[in-house]
Amino acid sequence: MSEVSVKRDYDPGIIESRWQRRWAESGLYKTDEDPAKPKHYALTMLPYPSGDLHVGHWYAMTPSDTRARFMRMRGYRVFFPIGFDAFGLPAENAAIKRGIHPRKWTYSNIENMRGQLRQMGTMFDFDSEVVTCEPEYYRWNQWFFLKFFEKGLAYRAEVPVDWCPNDQTTLAREQVIGPNRVCERCGTPVIRKNLRQWLFKITDYADELLDFSKIEWPERVKTLQTNWIGRSEGAEIEFDVPGYGPIEVFTTRPDTLFGATFFVMAPEHPAVEKITTPEQQAEVKSYVEKAARMSEIDRTDVTREKTGVFTGAYATNPANGESIPIYVADYVLMGYGTGAIMAVPAHDERDFEFARQYGIEIRPVIAPPDWKGGEFEEAYTGEGTMINSGRFDGTPSDEGREKVTAWLEERGKGRHAVSYRLRDWLISRQRYWGTPIPIIYCEKCGTVPVPEEDLPVLLPEDAEFTPTGESPLKLDPDFYNTTCPRCGGPATRETDTMDTFMDSSWYQYRYLSPHYDEGPFDTERGGKWLPVDQYTGGVEHAVMHLLYTRFFTKVMRDLGLVDFDEPMRRLFNQGEILGPDGNRMSKSKGNVVNPQEFVDRYGADVLRCFLMFIGPWNEGGPWDGKGIEGVARFLRRAHTLVTGGGPSGAEADPAEIERRTNRTIRKITQDIENFRFNTAIASLMEHTNYLLAVRGRVGEGEWREALRSFVLILAPFAPHHAEEMWAEMGLSYSVHLQEWPQWNEDLVAEEEITLVVQVNGRLRDRIQAPADIAEEDARELALASPKVRPHVEGKEIRKSIYVPGRLVNLVVK
RNA sequence: GCGAGAGUGGUGGAAUGGUAGACACGCUAGAUUUAGGAUCUAGUGCCCUAACCGGGCGUGCGGGUUCAAAUCCCGCCUCUCGCACCA
C-alpha cells in the first residue's frame, strides 16, 4: 500500500463521524452500572452555553476525557456527565441586543454545543445531561432555598452590597475581583449600595470550611480559601463612652490593651453621630460625607495618607481607666470586626502612622527582646514582654493575650472572640434570567415561604427583561401579585432571582438522576456514585464555585441528603489557554481561537492530542497553532503502523520490542495518573518512531502483540484513530471496551546500559556495559577507555563513585 | 507590603541530586517530484577549530554544600497570579 493511499485512508471528517455514529448507536458510553466494579465519578466543570465551543473548552475537557477513558479501561465503572449552566447574564444581554428571548438564545446555543461536544470524541454520558434553566432543575434550587430558610440559613437583611452598574444587579462579595473591585463578569468597577437582600449563612460553616483534611485539593486552592475565610482569633473588648454607653472593639492583640492611646470608629459606624460633641459635629459630618462619596478604590488605597477627625468624645480604657480620644477615620472599615478599634500605635503599623500624623502618644507596652528602651522608630508588631501594663508587667505577650482576655471576662468587659473576613453569601440578583426566589410577602403574615408542593415558582416567559436596576419580575403583575399561602389574602412575590452560582453548587448531584421528581436527586443512586472522585476545572473559581459547593454539601449532609462532608475528593486545576497575543481570549480582543477550523483540517484526535502535548496541563499558556503539524504527523505515522507494510523478517531483537512496549505502557499509565499528558504523548511518539523503525524486521506474533498494546494505550488520547486501527487489525469492537494493558516490571529492565564515565565530575566517555556490571568491573572498563586515560594518567585516583547501572566518577588529583 | 508559582536552545517543552535540552515545532542539506505541497533521510544549544579530532562554555544573577547541582541551601533580579488599611 502506498503512502498516498494511506493518507487518503484517514480522512478525519469521514472516519471520526463514522465512529461517533457507531459509538452512539451501540450505546458505548452509556454509564456502566456494574456493582462489581469500583466506581469512579469524573467531573469537568459545568460549561456555560455561550454559543460555540472554543478552544478553551477543548483544553479543559479532552484531557479529562482521556483520563476518564483510561479509568474505564483500568476496570472502573466510570460516570462522566456533562450539562449546561444555562441561567445567567450573557443570555439576557444577547437577548436585549438581538431582540430574541433568553431561552431561545440559550437553547440554540445548547443545541449547537451538543453537536460540538460529540465532535470532540468524548465519552460523556449524554443521558445524564442537566440544563439548569429547566424548571425540573431550578425547582430544586427553590427547594434548597426553602430548606435553608427553615434552618435559618437563608435570611433577608438590609446590607451594604456591591452593585454592578453595567449589569444592573448586586453581586456576592466573591464576585468582586481585585484591588480595583470590579465585577467578575464584565469588569466594571462596582459601587456600594444599601439594599434589602437575601443571604445564605455560609459564615455558620466558616470553621468547617477551613478544614481540608478530607480532600486532596491543590495547596493553592486551599490557601486561597483559607485566606478568603480569613479567620482571626482575639477578643471583643468593651470601651465605655461616658454619656453614651459601651462600644465594642475587636482585637487580635488584647495583650496590647494598656497601650491603647486613642480609639477609632469607621465613618459608617452608627454611633458616630451620637457621640460627637456639638463643637465637632460640623467637621465630623463633612468627613463622614466625604468618606461616603469616595470610591471604594480610593478608600482602600494603602499608599494614601491616613486621615481622620476628632469627635470630641472620649472612651474609657477598661484596663487602666484612662480616657482616650475617639476619632473617626476611614482606615477603619465597617465591614470587619465591630467597625471600631482600640488604637495601639506602638504595636500596630496603621495606628502608628495615624498617631504620628496627629501627635498622639505612642506608648510601648510590649518590650521587644533586647530592647534598651527609648522611642520606637516604627511599630513593633512582634512578640515580647509586657510593660507599662500594671499587674501584667513581665508577662510574655503570647501568654498575655489569654490572661488579659480572662481578666476582662471576669469583670464583664470583654470575651474571647473569633472574627472572619468571610461574609454571608448574597444570592439576590435583580435580573430576569435566573431562578425566582420562592418567597411571598403578605401584609398580614409577613415573609412567607412558598409551600413545597407549589414548587416550582415558574419564571414567566413573557416578562419585560430589560434591566432597570429593579427586578424585571416586579414589572410583571401576573407574577408579582399573588395570594398568601397562609391566609389567602393579597400578597406579592419576591422578585429577585438567585445568583447562578446556586445552580452550580449542587449540579454534580443532579447528574445522577436529572429527571427525578421526588427530591433534588435519587439518594439511592447517590449511594452508588457519590462523592465526585476527580474534579477538574480552572482555578478562577477557587473562592466562588468551589467554596459554595463545599458549603452546599455540608448543608446537604446536615439535611440528611448525603453522608459525607466534601463534594469532590480530588481536584485538579488545569491552566488556561490564552490567545496568541498572550491575553485572555475574548471576542472584544479578537483573539479567540476557533477549534472548528482545526477539527475540519486535522480532526478531533489531532486537536485533542495537540492540546495535551503543548505543555503541562496545569500551566496553560498562549495558543500557538504551529506545532499542530507535528501531532498530525504523529497520528498519521501511527496509523501507517497498521496500514503500512507488515512483518517480513525477524532481525529485530524481540526482547527489545517487548522491553520498549512494557516501558511505554508503564510510562503512559503513570503519566495519565499524574495528569502529565504532555510527556505521555511524547512517549507515544517515541514508541511510534521506534515501531516504524523496526517495522518489516519483526516476527508476526511479536509485531501484532506490540501493535495491540500500542493501540490500547493510544485509545484514551486519540479514540477515533485507535478505534479505526483496532478495526483494521481485525479485532472485535470496541477498543474502548478493552482492558488496559499491564506491564511487567521484569521486562522493563535493560540488559545493557550506557555507562557514563566522569573524571572529577566531567563527562569523558560513554561505554556500553551489561546492566548488572559490578563496581570493580565498571571502574576497570572506565580506566581502559582511551578517552578517559589522558585525564587520569599520571594522577592519583583518590576516590571513585559508582552509581549502579548509571555512572562511574573518578576523582583524581 | 504579604502569599503562591515561574525563569532551561530560535519556539513549546523534557530532565526533581548522576549523560542538560527527551518529544515536537522551526530551520539547513539531501532523496523523491515538471513544480509546489506532502513524504523520507541526515543535521541542528553557543563558542574555538578550514574541517575532523578534540576542547571550552552553558539551565535569570551572585555565592555555598557535594565526587557530582537546572535540581539542595543562602542572598538578589525579573515575570505571572492571588490578597491587600482585616484591627
Side-chain angles (χ1 to χ4, degrees):
Chain A
M1 207 179 277
S2 77
E3 299 289 18
V4 176
S5 76
V6 164
K7 214 171 67 197
R8 214 184 304 121
D9 269 351
Y10 197 89
D11 181 330
I14 295 169
I15 291 180
E16 293 190 347
S17 60
R18 193 180 71 212
W19 284 119
Q20 284 159 16
R21 220 174 310 126
R22 177 93 190 262
W23 293 336
E25 281 162 12
S26 63
L28 185 65
Y29 302 128
K30 279 211 183 313
T31 300
D32 181 352
E33 305 281 351
D34 183 355
K37 295 180 182 168
K39 67 107 181 171
H40 181 78
Y41 186 167
L43 184 65
T44 178
M45 283 184 184
L46 185 67
Y48 181 81
S50 52
D52 284 300
L53 233 43
H54 63 85
V55 84
H57 288 113
W58 280 73
Y59 190 70
M61 291 173 179
T62 55
S64 261
D65 176 65
T66 292
R67 202 165 184 282
R69 289 175 173 280
F70 164 76
M71 292 303 282
R72 174 174 156 141
M73 290 176 81
R74 292 212 95 186
Y76 290 84
R77 60 187 161 98
V78 174
F79 184 48
F80 188 48
I82 190 73
F84 298 96
D85 190 13
F87 269 139
L89 278 175
E92 266 180 280
N93 294 339
I96 291 156
K97 209 164 124 195
R98 289 164 225 203
I100 48 167
H101 195 273
R103 168 172 296 278
K104 215 177 151 198
W105 184 84
T106 303
Y107 274 88
S108 85
N109 287 348
I110 288 176
E111 202 44 56
N112 201 21
M113 284 171 78
R114 274 189 191 129
Q116 293 173 336
L117 282 169
R118 286 179 196 275
Q119 250 193 339
M120 269 183 183
T122 56
M123 57 168 279
F124 286 129
D125 175 6
F126 288 97
D127 292 345
S128 304
E129 185 194 84
V130 152
V131 179
T132 61
C133 66
E134 280 293 309
E136 68 169 2
Y137 187 86
Y138 70 70
R139 168 186 177 184
W140 301 104
N141 282 346
Q142 295 172 338
W143 184 85
F144 276 118
F145 182 95
L146 295 179
K147 294 292 161 195
F148 278 46
F149 184 76
E150 269 169 38
K151 287 182 78 75
L153 290 170
Y155 65 97
R156 193 174 185 232
E158 170 143 352
V159 283
V161 297
D162 297 300
W163 171 269
C164 173
N166 178 53
D167 290 339
Q168 298 266 308
T169 182
T170 53
L171 299 171
R173 183 88 160 71
E174 291 79 13
Q175 291 155 33
V176 180
I177 306 293
N180 294 336
R181 300 188 49 77
V182 299
C183 168
E184 178 253 336
R185 277 234 90 91
C186 68
T188 308
V190 300
I191 55 173
R192 282 270 176 191
K193 277 196 176 186
N194 282 314
L195 287 174
R196 280 198 88 184
Q197 301 277 284
W198 283 97
L199 296 109
F200 280 167
K201 244 182 174 172
I202 191 170
T203 51
D204 272 13
Y205 288 82
D207 279 324
E208 209 194 327
L209 288 166
L210 284 167
D211 175 10
F212 299 95
S213 62
K214 289 171 184 143
I215 44 182
E216 289 170 57
W217 281 22
E219 281 310 315
R220 171 132 180 252
V221 173
K222 294 194 278 187
T223 308
L224 283 169
Q225 293 202 350
T226 303
N227 293 343
W228 187 260
I229 294 165
R231 182 182 202 274
S232 42
E233 219 163 314
E236 270 169 12
I237 304 176
E238 278 178 18
F239 279 66
D240 193 57
V241 180
Y244 174 79
I247 297 180
E248 289 205 329
V249 300
F250 174 77
T251 179
T252 54
R253 294 295 300 270
D255 54 314
T256 65
L257 177 57
F258 287 82
T261 51
F262 61 106
F263 190 99
V264 190
M265 291 164 81
E268 300 85 357
H269 198 290
V272 166
E273 213 190 316
K274 292 160 199 154
I275 59 146
T276 303
T277 58
E279 310 82 76
Q280 295 299 109
Q281 241 358 300
E283 210 186 331
V284 167
K285 202 174 165 214
S286 112
Y287 184 83
V288 169
E289 277 169 7
K290 213 171 90 206
R293 273 201 311 274
M294 209 181 295
S295 76
E296 199 75 17
I297 306 161
D298 296 336
R299 174 86 186 263
T300 53
D301 179 5
V302 284
T303 58
R304 214 172 106 242
E305 272 195 359
K306 301 233 168 337
T307 59
V309 170
F310 179 46
T311 61
Y314 291 83
T316 310
N317 184 334
N320 53 19
E322 276 178 14
S323 267
I324 55 174
I326 303 177
Y327 286 78
V328 176
D330 62 11
Y331 80 90
V332 171
L333 309 173
M334 196 57 219
Y336 185 80
T338 63
I341 61 158
M342 63 176 209
V344 185
H347 306 289
D348 181 281
E349 281 160 32
R350 297 150 299 177
D351 299 344
F352 186 89
E353 197 192 321
F354 191 88
R356 275 245 167 130
Q357 206 128 316
Y358 290 87
I360 304 167
E361 185 196 351
I362 296 168
R363 183 196 306 160
V365 289
I366 306 293
D370 315 321
W371 184 56
K372 310 250 169 6
E375 252 179 56
F376 278 12
E377 287 306 310
E378 54 180 15
Y380 175 74
T381 56
E383 303 292 341
T385 309
M386 291 175 73
I387 53 168
N388 298 324
S389 298
R391 60 167 66 200
F392 297 101
D393 280 356
T395 312
S397 51
D398 50 351
E399 253 174 66
R401 288 204 262 285
E402 284 159 42
K403 288 191 171 159
V404 171
T405 307
W407 180 63
L408 288 168
E409 201 148 6
E410 270 166 39
R411 298 164 54 223
K413 290 287 181 190
R415 69 213 63 87
H416 177 261
V418 178
S419 189
Y420 299 90
R421 210 182 75 110
L422 180 71
R423 302 278 76 130
D424 279 338
W425 174 14
L426 191 151
I427 63 146
S428 301
R429 296 292 177 274
Q430 293 70 45
R431 295 295 297 244
Y432 165 70
W433 193 232
T435 306
I437 293 174
I439 287 288
I440 290 169
Y441 303 107
C442 168
E443 264 182 49
K444 268 211 308 246
C445 313
T447 301
V448 182
V450 172
E452 241 178 76
E453 58 274 18
D454 291 352
L455 297 184
V457 177
L458 286 173
L459 184 67
E461 284 296 305
D462 51 357
E464 174 54 56
F465 46 78
T466 313
T468 58
E470 281 276 15
S471 305
L473 298 181
K474 200 168 248 173
L475 308 172
D476 183 338
D478 291 341
F479 177 86
Y480 184 57
N481 297 311
T482 185
T483 51
C484 172
R486 216 163 270 173
C487 70
T492 58
R493 284 189 192 278
E494 168 64 56
T495 53
D496 284 351
T497 52
M498 296 181 198
D499 181 4
T500 53
F501 277 108
M502 180 89 181
D503 305 320
S504 53
S505 291
W506 65 281
Y507 75 106
Q508 68 269 32
Y509 302 106
R510 189 67 186 171
Y511 273 147
L512 293 167
S513 48
H515 310 296
Y516 189 67
D517 62 3
E518 283 160 51
F521 70 99
D522 178 350
T523 51
E524 200 195 314
R525 188 138 196 272
K528 293 176 186 152
W529 286 103
L530 294 170
V532 172
D533 294 285
Q534 181 63 58
Y535 198 30
T536 58
V539 76
E540 66 274 13
H541 286 115
V543 294
M544 294 190 278
H545 163 60
L546 289 171
L547 193 61
Y548 299 144
T549 192
R550 289 182 68 216
F551 164 56
F552 245 77
T553 293
K554 290 170 197 306
V555 177
M556 286 169 75
R557 175 203 59 202
D558 293 345
L559 288 168
L561 284 165
V562 298
D563 58 4
F564 45 84
D565 306 302
E566 296 284 356
M568 295 103 182
R569 256 203 269 273
R570 295 183 72 197
L571 169 69
F572 187 94
N573 290 127
Q574 84 264 351
E576 186 178 10
I577 194 95
L578 304 170
D581 56 0
N583 292 307
R584 274 193 101 146
M585 284 191 199
S586 76
K587 279 181 192 153
S588 59
K589 285 204 190 89
N591 62 352
V592 177
V593 175
N594 180 4
Q596 196 58 47
E597 57 179 281
F598 296 95
V599 175
D600 291 344
R601 188 131 126 237
Y602 299 104
D605 281 353
V606 169
L607 185 56
R608 286 171 65 107
C609 291
F610 175 62
L611 288 167
M612 287 187 259
F613 181 62
I614 48 176
W617 196 34
N618 55 4
E619 281 175 23
W623 167 268
D624 179 359
K626 277 204 283 288
I628 200 168
E629 276 296 342
V631 176
R633 279 202 273 267
F634 151 61
L635 284 178
R636 210 179 297 142
R637 282 153 61 85
H639 190 232
T640 64
L641 285 172
V642 294
T643 56
S648 62
E651 306 100 88
D653 177 9
E656 174 73 3
I657 298 164
E658 204 169 41
R659 182 161 55 241
R660 293 236 188 198
T661 296
N662 274 274
R663 213 195 298 148
T664 307
I665 293 169
R666 180 176 68 178
K667 173 79 177 145
I668 304 289
T669 305
Q670 292 169 348
D671 277 354
I672 301 178
E673 274 171 357
N674 297 311
F675 301 89
R676 293 208 301 251
F677 303 103
N678 58 328
T679 50
I681 302 260
S683 60
L684 281 171
M685 288 174 169
E686 211 172 348
H687 195 50
T688 303
N689 294 342
Y690 167 76
L691 289 173
L692 281 169
V694 297
R695 174 168 66 179
R697 300 193 281 118
V698 185
E700 173 85 38
E702 288 115 47
W703 182 246
R704 262 190 89 77
E705 195 40 48
L707 278 195
R708 208 187 102 90
S709 296
F710 174 75
V711 174
L712 288 172
I713 55 178
L714 179 69
F717 299 90
H720 310 89
H721 274 79
E723 193 76 282
E724 179 73 10
M725 288 165 74
W726 192 255
E728 278 168 4
M729 285 176 72
L731 295 161
S732 63
Y733 180 81
S734 155
V735 68
H736 302 297
L737 293 171
Q738 308 304 312
E739 228 172 86
W740 188 254
Q742 283 290 324
W743 76 89
N744 181 340
E745 200 63 47
D746 297 335
L747 295 178
V748 170
E750 298 275 2
E751 283 163 17
E752 200 170 66
I753 48 117
T754 305
L755 184 72
V756 171
V757 183
Q758 296 179 335
V759 177
N760 288 341
R762 290 170 120 70
L763 176 76
R764 295 301 175 192
D765 199 7
R766 300 177 169 119
I767 306 167
Q768 287 306 114
D772 56 355
I773 188 169
E775 177 163 3
E776 281 96 278
D777 298 339
R779 195 186 311 144
E780 222 160 274
L781 213 53
L783 285 167
S785 157
K787 288 181 181 171
V788 172
R789 226 176 296 134
H791 298 280
V792 295
E793 236 155 21
K795 290 171 185 160
E796 181 197 349
I797 296 176
R798 306 181 63 134
K799 200 172 173 186
S800 94
I801 284 109
Y802 177 60
V803 182
R806 302 204 81 142
L807 66 74
V808 173
N809 186 11
L810 303 167
V811 185
V812 303
K813 201 182 175 187

